[in-house]
Amino acid sequence: MIDYLIVGCGLAGIAFGETASQHNKSILFFENNSQCSSKVAGGLYNPVILKRYSGVWRAQEQLDLLQSFYGNLETKLNTKFNFKTPVYRKLFSVEEQNDWFLATDRVGLSPFLSSKLISKKYKAIDSPYKFGEVLQSGYVDTEVLLSSYRNYLKENNLLEDDTFDYSAIEFNENHVQYKGIQARNIVFAEGYGMVDNPYFGHLPLKGTKGELLIIRAKDLDLDAIIKASVFVLPLGNDLYKVGATYSWEDKTNLPTEEAKKQLLVNSKEVLQCDFEIVEHLAGIRPTVADRKPLVGTHPKYPNLHLLNGLGTRGVMIGPDMAKQLFESIELGKPIDSSADIMRFKKIKW
């Protein structure tokens, strides 16, 4: 009897699988690589929405948990993928400087925004009005995380490279059976693939396509993440991640010429140096209209659970939501009402 079958091995699935493993629960993953949003994610964790200077939901709780969560996972996998790195918001005018100082005094934002502007000069970035520094920020190299974790699962026979067949679930009194596998619970963490799930697909997962570029810029020597009309994230070896776009109509994982042109135009507003495009990536973010995750247990099938809707902040939200779902299943603790799927009470189950 396996404790948890986990469908999907992206950021949400890994967060839940590791949480369960840390509590000595047995796990088995199913993954068909149909979704790639985790692989192409920016991977930033940033407690402030800089566009409008507002705090991120449950920011401090999430930041505290993610450091221990990814730290333990780095030790387990013997791989470095969590990098504490400041985010510098480029300021374009005296008015923007004043807006920054006003934001640093707001309740809930002062722990995350430095009141001292950064005057560091980068030879490829013109910054006469300096930078505002976001504290407690950084990024997770999602590609390294996903590949190293999947290798770990394969080495321990914990990963089935297969499309999950929903029709093959058989329900018993205290467990489910799937093609000869007995499990106490199934956790669906399929990202945008949830739209095809007959048990949870009616929930309002919208999906937002995002595209980003990996560029090589030999004259760009950054030691921070720059945020302006795009983010520029240093990866080492003269490589940088630049993103991201948002599209609510296109639901394919294919990179588009339109998005590339947009990213190039926005990049050149920030970078005064030559660069070459190394890679162009795209994926569908699992987003929800109210910008909160989809977490909880099916009201008719108590062995089926959902962890989805992590949106643009998967590396930051994932460990927190995985912990809440696990404690709800095992201990009966309530899930934050803003994230619980039962907030959609009008939906017919």
Side-chain angles (χ1 to χ4, degrees):
M1 179 79 73
I2 294 172
D3 290 309
Y4 290 98
L5 293 186
I6 302 167
V7 183
C9 194
L11 291 171
I14 290 174
F16 188 87
E18 247 337 90
T19 300
S21 292
Q22 290 170 4
H23 290 83
N24 299 314
K25 300 297 182 181
S26 54
I27 60 173
L28 178 63
F29 280 84
F30 282 80
E31 173 65 288
N32 64 1
N33 294 304
S34 63
Q35 304 301 312
C36 58
S37 64
S38 292
K39 188 182 296 183
V40 304
L44 276 70
Y45 50 89
N46 170 9
V48 181
I49 301 170
L50 292 171
K51 189 174 183 178
R52 54 184 180 270
Y53 293 123
S54 58
V56 171
W57 174 69
R58 292 178 57 85
Q60 194 61 66
E61 295 97 325
Q62 292 170 4
L63 288 171
D64 291 343
L65 180 58
L66 79 82
Q67 293 301 343
S68 61
F69 177 84
Y70 291 119
N72 292 335
L73 197 47
E74 284 179 325
T75 300
K76 177 176 180 173
L77 301 176
N78 193 28
T79 305
K80 179 70 176 174
F81 47 77
N82 178 26
F83 300 90
K84 298 179 183 179
T85 310
V87 170
Y88 290 169
R89 168 73 156 84
K90 182 180 175 181
L91 304 174
F92 288 86
S93 65
V94 173
E95 288 76 16
E96 287 199 358
Q97 288 181 334
N98 291 334
D99 289 342
W100 179 269
F101 288 127
L102 288 172
T104 62
D105 283 335
R106 287 185 192 169
V107 175
L109 293 186
S110 54
F112 307 126
L113 299 177
S114 172
S115 59
K116 183 179 180 181
L117 295 182
I118 301 296
S119 57
K120 186 168 184 176
K121 301 293 183 182
Y122 294 103
K123 60 183 179 180
I125 299 178
D126 185 27
S127 55
Y129 298 99
K130 306 180 182 179
F131 301 96
E133 181 181 6
V134 182
L135 308 173
Q136 301 189 56
S137 58
Y139 74 96
V140 170
D141 190 323
T142 55
E143 188 169 4
V144 172
L145 167 60
L146 267 62
S147 62
S148 58
Y149 195 76
R150 286 173 180 171
N151 287 339
Y152 161 79
L153 293 176
K154 289 178 181 178
E155 290 169 1
N156 290 276
N157 297 314
L158 299 176
L159 178 63
E160 297 284 343
D161 287 312
D162 194 11
T163 299
F164 191 86
D165 182 1
Y166 305 104
S167 66
I169 301 175
E170 298 177 27
F171 294 93
N172 295 282
E173 185 175 352
N174 295 313
H175 68 280
V176 295
Q177 186 158 318
Y178 179 79
K179 295 183 177 181
I181 303 170
Q182 290 186 333
R184 291 186 173 86
N185 301 279
I186 300 177
V187 174
F188 292 105
E190 309 124 301
Y192 188 65
M194 190 199 84
V195 295
D196 296 320
N197 187 319
Y199 298 100
F200 295 103
H202 56 291
L203 289 169
L205 187 72
K206 298 185 70 174
T208 307
K209 183 171 184 176
E211 300 186 46
L212 52 82
L213 303 175
I214 306 295
I215 66 170
R216 178 177 286 110
K218 293 184 178 180
D219 294 328
L220 182 58
D221 184 21
L222 284 183
D223 57 359
I225 301 164
I226 302 299
K227 184 72 174 70
S229 53
V230 291
F231 68 79
V232 183
L233 189 157
L235 299 173
N237 299 318
D238 298 325
L239 295 175
Y240 298 86
K241 189 177 285 188
V242 177
T245 62
Y246 295 83
S247 172
W248 290 268
E249 303 301 326
D250 184 0
K251 304 300 184 183
T252 71
N253 288 321
L254 300 175
T256 64
E257 195 65 27
E258 180 183 1
K260 182 169 79 171
K261 289 179 180 177
Q262 179 185 337
L263 289 169
L264 287 174
V265 169
N266 292 343
S267 298
K268 289 173 181 176
E269 292 178 359
V270 182
L271 305 177
Q272 285 79 52
C273 66
D274 293 329
F275 57 84
E276 63 173 309
I277 297 174
V278 176
E279 200 170 0
H280 181 187
L281 304 170
I284 308 299
R285 308 178 186 93
T287 54
V288 185
D290 64 5
R291 300 182 181 181
K292 297 297 189 297
L294 297 171
V295 186
T297 297
H298 197 288
K300 293 183 179 178
Y301 302 102
N303 305 100
L304 303 186
H305 315 278
L306 184 69
L307 180 55
N308 210 312
L310 302 187
T312 61
R313 300 178 183 273
V315 299
M316 186 168 165
I317 296 175
D320 180 26
M321 292 298 99
K323 180 174 183 286
Q324 289 204 33
L325 179 58
F326 181 81
E327 291 181 347
S328 171
I329 298 169
E330 297 290 340
L331 304 175
K333 289 187 177 182
I335 295 168
D336 187 303
S337 59
S338 297
D340 195 324
I341 56 176
M342 297 315 295
R343 69 187 185 273
F344 301 105
K345 293 179 181 178
K346 294 182 180 179
I347 289 180
K348 293 182 180 180
W349 292 89

